[in-house]
Amino acid sequence: MLPDHPLKILVVGSGGREHALCWKLAQSNHVEKVFCAPGNGGTAQEWKCENVPIGVMDFAGLEKFAIENKIDLSVIGPDNPLAEGIVDCLEKAGLRVFGPNKEQSKLEWSKAHAKNFMDRLKLPTPRYVVCRSYEEAKQAARQNEWARVVKVDGLALGKGVFVCDTEAEVLAALEQIFSSKSFGTAGETILLEEKIIGEELSLLMLCDGKHLVQMAPCQDHKRRFDGDTGPNTGGMGAYSPVELYDRHRTQIEAQIVQPLEKALASGSLSFKGVLYAGIMVSDSGPLLLEFNARFGDPETQAMMPRLKSDLLEALWACTSGQLDQVTLQWSTDSSCCVVAVAQQYPTSSSRGEEIISTGSSEKTGTVLFHAGTKYVDGKVVTDGGRVLAIVATAASMEQAAKNCYAVLKTVSFKGIDYRRDIARRAFKQCLSS
Ligand code: GLY
């Protein structure tokens, strides 16, 4: 049951995902105020929102702020504070938190643990082998010609996956991990996984410890350049809904979602927060590639404008074990999200460049979420690699993409760049850039 006083929310994080969460939570009639720690240039100006200058890893500072400001619910965005136990820390102080505790978030931060769990539940997943030394890993790479994906077991902040084509590339990745020790203790154990060719989708599920509710499926674009080429990034764009999901829905639900539901109900899975399943649909059907223990970025930006239900009510239900009483309503509109990045992203970021926006978002059903931005002296300036996420919703995916790109033409900062083909695979038609 929600309290009958106006609620104060604390969103932890500073990316486009957190701006989208703040934007949506602020729309709830139950919500009086949304604080974002540390937030960005967008959350600084968002209706009902206010930034607080506390970093995501400053658990003592966040706890003190939440207690002193009588925060009713804290919502954790990024993976690193979750993996380091922010939820355990805030809950110990008697605070209500949306997100998994450290042990639960191990499904994201330990790839070996996640695979072990998938095996226990017989969830379909690519073949793999866990290696605990350089020698063992080299030997496994040579012996298993299917092993072309290398994953660092521990938290690697999105940089611990190497998708290779040849044995030589696998061996080079292993050398980077084990010899240079660039991942620290996270790289002491690795996973070699079969490379699957197919199309990926993201299925996010809200969990309250016992029940789960699926969110709208999304697809993101991880590669930097058009045509899904170039280095992997944090995400260059996303769209929802996903026709691929509709085609494989029966199998995905029977083989992945229902076993997870049963595991939650029986207690063999304990999880509260967002369980994000990265699913590859190959010729042989859906395979579960990985779990994340948080909202996706930029999937959240693409999803929130389609969500008709009150997000606060859903997140609150997750923290009270009452998710079985929640049904999420989604607009039938399509949503397209394009991320505007710094020219050299992901190699480097942009700092201090003024962002100019001359467009009006209301006309076209678009929302401009900020990511790497800062509000300084009445101006918004760049402050990161992924700078903005422009989202448009429309009756068709093609129209949503067109509207999104039209808004992008009205936004500028020095060195702005973005992919020109976001959501194109959803309507298979060229967009003019
Ligand atoms: N979009 C990928 C992620 O959030 O990890």
Side-chain angles (χ1 to χ4, degrees):
M1 271 286 275
L2 276 160
D4 55 12
H5 63 264
L7 303 184
K8 289 186 197 161
I9 313 298
L10 172 64
V11 173
V12 175
S14 62
R17 165 185 49 210
E18 286 77 25
H19 188 180
L21 291 172
C22 288
W23 173 83
K24 186 65 191 166
L25 287 166
Q27 289 170 18
S28 169
N29 288 332
H30 304 289
V31 172
E32 176 189 17
K33 183 100 192 167
V34 183
F35 294 99
C36 194
N40 59 36
T43 53
Q45 301 172 84
E46 194 59 69
W47 178 55
K48 291 194 203 173
C49 295
E50 184 181 325
N51 284 352
V52 286
I54 307 174
V56 301
M57 301 307 287
D58 180 359
F59 295 179
L62 292 166
E63 178 187 324
K64 184 166 179 282
F65 177 85
I67 291 170
E68 284 178 1
N69 290 278
K70 299 189 170 36
I71 295 296
D72 296 286
L73 175 70
S74 300
V75 179
I76 315 300
D79 51 357
N80 41 346
L82 290 170
E84 295 297 335
I86 189 172
V87 172
D88 311 61
C89 169
L90 297 183
E91 283 182 344
K92 203 167 153 208
L95 295 157
R96 182 183 287 262
V97 194
F98 175 82
N101 64 28
K102 183 171 179 156
E103 181 56 28
Q104 293 168 348
S105 70
K106 198 170 178 182
L107 281 177
E108 172 161 3
W109 60 262
S110 169
K111 304 295 175 210
H113 171 78
K115 282 288 202 181
N116 199 286
F117 172 75
M118 291 177 206
D119 285 348
R120 263 201 293 128
L121 260 62
K122 298 192 172 38
L123 306 176
T125 188
R127 283 185 277 182
Y128 71 100
V129 53
V130 178
C131 305
R132 294 196 160 76
S133 74
Y134 190 19
E135 284 313 309
E136 196 188 341
K138 280 192 289 191
Q139 198 181 4
R142 290 189 183 113
Q143 280 171 354
N144 300 296
E145 43 70 40
W146 48 262
R148 292 288 178 264
V149 180
V150 185
K151 291 183 175 174
V152 169
D153 179 52
L155 193 66
L157 303 176
K159 298 192 175 82
V161 178
F162 299 77
V163 181
C164 308
D165 288 321
T166 62
E167 185 184 305
E169 284 176 28
V170 173
L171 293 171
L174 293 176
E175 177 167 14
Q176 187 183 330
I177 296 166
F178 286 101
S179 298
S180 72
K181 298 197 187 318
S182 44
F183 294 96
T185 51
E188 284 170 4
T189 299
I190 62 107
L191 225 87
L192 285 176
E193 194 180 64
E194 183 178 8
K195 182 174 172 180
I196 305 292
I197 307 298
E199 233 185 285
E200 231 178 301
L201 63 90
S202 311
L203 184 62
L204 278 63
M205 295 160 276
L206 293 180
C207 302
D208 70 355
K210 286 270 169 226
H211 317 98
L212 72 75
V213 169
Q214 287 185 52
M215 304 193 84
C218 296
Q219 253 188 315
D220 73 347
H221 294 258
K222 292 198 173 79
R223 299 294 197 107
R224 173 65 174 84
F225 301 117
D226 286 7
D228 293 322
T229 57
N232 258 327
T233 69
M236 296 294 294
Y239 61 92
S240 173
V242 181
E243 197 262 337
L244 178 74
Y245 175 81
D246 298 335
R247 270 190 280 133
H248 295 271
R249 181 179 192 140
T250 311
Q251 262 181 306
I252 292 172
E253 291 197 339
Q255 296 174 10
I256 297 172
V257 180
Q258 284 160 18
L260 288 170
E261 254 170 342
K262 282 192 194 135
L264 279 167
S266 70
S268 60
L269 169 62
S270 161
F271 195 90
K272 167 176 65 74
V274 184
L275 189 57
Y276 164 149
I279 297 169
M280 177 74 88
V281 181
S282 71
D283 288 345
S284 55
L287 291 169
L288 185 54
L289 293 187
E290 63 175 7
F291 284 118
N292 291 320
R294 54 174 171 79
F295 281 106
D297 187 337
E299 288 93 333
T300 307
Q301 295 90 308
M303 259 194 304
M304 286 303 130
R306 288 193 61 220
L307 180 60
K308 293 203 286 187
S309 310
D310 186 322
L311 180 65
L312 184 274
E313 286 177 10
L315 301 192
W316 193 274
C318 288
T319 61
S320 1
Q322 292 178 323
L323 199 54
D324 52 332
Q325 292 166 35
V326 169
T327 313
L328 295 180
Q329 303 290 338
W330 299 91
S331 154
T332 53
D333 278 354
S334 296
S335 163
C336 173
C337 164
V338 179
V339 178
V341 299
Q343 190 95 57
Q344 300 305 322
Y345 174 76
T347 313
S348 65
S349 315
S350 169
R351 309 260 169 224
E353 299 294 345
E354 188 173 356
I355 300 168
I356 314 277
S357 169
T358 56
S360 158
S361 53
E362 279 140 31
K363 280 190 197 128
T364 50
T366 56
V367 197
L368 198 153
F369 292 125
H370 289 226
T373 76
K374 217 161 55 170
Y375 189 65
V376 191
D377 300 333
K379 284 185 191 165
V380 181
V381 298
T382 59
D383 193 38
R386 291 193 292 171
V387 177
L388 301 166
I390 290 88
V391 186
T393 49
S396 71
M397 190 63 80
E398 185 173 4
Q399 193 58 51
K402 276 189 178 147
N403 294 350
C404 212
Y405 283 103
V407 172
L408 266 161
K409 288 204 173 111
T410 69
V411 178
S412 63
F413 56 87
K414 192 173 168 215
I416 185 171
D417 194 22
Y418 47 87
R419 276 182 58 164
R420 265 68 176 174
D421 64 346
I422 301 299
R424 188 184 291 178
R425 62 167 99 99
F427 59 86
K428 310 231 171 15
Q429 191 178 316
C430 291
L431 285 162
S432 62
S433 61

